[in-house]
């Protein structure tokens, strides 16, 4: 984020410098806006040009491209704007050198501040594109991968640890839980635990409806 902001500021400063450069002197006392755009391809002439038909036009195009690149955070778009500024400036220098026979800088004649400002603007555009981190793509969330299938020689292997254990549950329904209630009347003891002895009778006791002591160990129903 910080790199994008810093790179955008540097690129915008470079674009502003490039757009402002034609309003300064480029060679001797002649302003950059006085050079026609067609003179860059056919040769430098002394014919004056309108503002929108001068070398300012490609610099304005580069400024618009820079703004688009900053908004989209596209490094290659900003770099393209820098190449446009540098390309047209160097092309003008080549044509001017052909027209005058040589290029000089400094003093009262030769290359002036406008050319240096245009070159600096193109360099700043490339530097801004280099500083910008660009636009990162949005990462799609990946679904978690299922557990690997246990090998054939170890079918009863729990997937997470690959340690011997119960097989993985394949049924989508939950396992039934054991009923914790153990009160009377809910469960019946197994047949092996049932008491198969006859009705217990205490020795020498007489139950209602019986005449006297009965034989121990046997049940004698009362007489009607």
């Amino acid at each position: 984020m910080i790199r994008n902001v810093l790179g955008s500021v540097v690129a915008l400063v470079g674009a502003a410098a490039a757009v402002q450069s034609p309003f300064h002197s480029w060679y001797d006392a002649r302003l950059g806006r006085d050079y026609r755009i067609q003179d860059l391809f056919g040769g430098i002439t002394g014919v004056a040009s309108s503002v929108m038909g001068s070398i300012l036009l490609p610099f304005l195009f580069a400024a618009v491209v820079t703004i688009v690149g900053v908004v989209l955070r596209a490094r290659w778009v900003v770099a393209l704007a820098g190449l446009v500024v540098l390309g047209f400036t160097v092309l003008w220098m080549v044509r001017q050198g052909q027209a005058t026979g040589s290029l000089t800088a400094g003093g009262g004649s030769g290359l002036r501040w406008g050319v240096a400002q245009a070159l600096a603007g193109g360099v700043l555009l490339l530097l801004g594109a280099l500083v910008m981190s660009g636009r990162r793509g949005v990462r799609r969330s990946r679904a978690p991968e299922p557990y690997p299938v246990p090998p054939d020689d170890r079918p009863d292997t729990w997937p997470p640890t690959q340690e011997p254990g119960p097989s993985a549950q394949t049924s989508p329904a939950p396992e039934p839980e054991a009923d914790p209630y153990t009160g009377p009347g809910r469960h019946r003891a197994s047949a092996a635990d049932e008491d198969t002895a006859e009705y217990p009778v205490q020795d020498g006791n007489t139950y209602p409806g019986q005449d006297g002591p009965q034989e121990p160990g046997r049940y004698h129903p009362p007489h009607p």
Side-chain angles (χ1 to χ4, degrees):
M1 181 63 182
I2 297 178
R3 291 183 57 185
N4 281 328
V5 173
L6 183 59
S8 300
V9 171
V10 174
L12 291 176
V13 171
V19 172
Q20 191 182 5
S21 65
F23 296 92
H24 296 281
S25 298
W26 276 50
Y27 196 83
D28 291 342
R30 190 175 184 181
L31 300 180
R33 64 186 184 183
D34 291 337
Y35 291 95
R36 298 184 304 172
I37 190 68
Q38 57 265 32
D39 289 350
L40 301 180
F41 303 96
I44 301 296
T45 62
V47 180
S49 172
S50 62
V51 176
M52 296 307 299
S54 66
I55 197 175
L56 176 64
L57 184 60
F59 291 167
L60 288 176
F61 173 77
V64 174
V65 172
T66 302
I67 295 175
V68 173
V70 169
V71 173
L72 299 179
R73 291 182 294 178
R75 302 174 60 184
W76 67 271
V77 177
V78 178
L80 177 62
L83 293 177
V84 169
V85 173
L86 290 177
F88 276 90
T89 303
V90 172
L91 180 60
W92 174 88
M93 294 174 66
V94 172
R95 294 302 184 186
Q96 184 65 36
Q98 293 176 350
T100 58
S102 63
L103 288 177
T104 58
S109 62
L111 299 177
R112 304 302 295 270
W113 170 248
V115 180
Q117 187 174 355
L119 293 175
V123 172
L124 288 177
L125 285 170
L126 294 179
L127 182 61
L130 182 63
V131 173
M132 292 175 63
S133 60
R135 190 173 184 176
R136 299 180 180 178
V138 179
R139 297 182 179 179
R140 298 181 179 179
S141 57
R142 299 177 59 186
E145 297 181 359
Y147 292 120
V149 180
D152 296 337
D153 56 343
R154 302 178 63 186
D156 295 335
T157 302
W158 192 251
T161 59
Q162 298 297 325
E163 296 179 357
S167 301
Q169 182 181 352
T170 57
S171 175
E175 295 183 357
E177 299 181 359
D179 190 355
Y181 180 73
T182 57
R186 187 62 182 270
H187 299 283
R188 179 179 178 84
S190 60
D193 296 337
E194 292 183 353
D195 187 6
T196 56
E198 297 182 358
Y199 188 85
V201 179
Q202 298 181 359
D203 295 342
N205 293 340
T206 302
Y207 293 90
Q210 295 180 349
D211 296 337
Q214 305 297 327
E215 181 181 357
R218 293 185 60 84
Y219 170 70
H220 298 275
H223 295 289

